[in-house]
Amino acid sequence: MAAQDTAILREKLVAEWIDHRHFKELESTQTFVEREHETFDQSRLTVISADYQTAGRGTNERTWQARKAESVLMTFYFRFPSELASDFVNRS
């Protein structure tokens, strides 16, 4: 497969399976996902990224600090298929 064909295929797969939303600034990508996840397409991987977070945090309320445009700041959201339900899945 030619490099151009591979790039076109990759773009098509990304467009079909991934919803990437990028912001110049957010309070926290994690907080955004927790607040907005019900509006996401549950059949796709959603990636929320930002150049800067004013109140960055991770899981379990851990703080996350980074200088503007010097870090990769993102949160991934996806739904496990119901047949994979377990205590871990339901907790995470």
Side-chain angles (χ1 to χ4, degrees):
M1 183 177 283
Q4 183 179 12
D5 293 338
T6 302
I8 291 169
L9 179 58
R10 182 174 45 89
E11 287 179 27
K12 182 178 178 182
L13 287 172
V14 167
E16 184 177 334
W17 293 98
I18 299 173
D19 177 10
H20 179 215
R21 303 176 193 190
H22 181 77
F23 300 87
K24 289 280 187 191
E25 184 174 300
L26 273 179
E27 71 280 15
S28 161
T29 59
Q30 181 75 18
T31 300
F32 182 88
V33 166
E34 289 173 355
R35 184 180 61 239
E36 302 293 330
H37 69 89
E38 290 185 13
T39 67
F40 300 165
D41 181 344
Q42 301 298 308
S43 68
R44 298 173 75 196
L45 169 67
T46 300
V47 181
I48 304 300
S49 63
D51 291 332
Y52 183 68
Q53 298 180 119
T54 58
R57 64 179 204 65
T59 55
N60 299 321
E61 301 302 319
R62 293 183 185 105
T63 60
W64 190 271
Q65 298 176 358
R67 292 189 198 121
K68 285 187 178 182
E70 291 187 12
S71 297
V72 177
L73 305 169
M74 64 182 63
T75 298
F76 297 90
Y77 175 85
F78 57 93
R79 186 72 73 170
F80 283 102
S82 59
E83 62 270 12
L84 296 179
S86 69
D87 289 340
F88 171 78
V89 170
N90 292 325
R91 185 176 63 245
S92 298

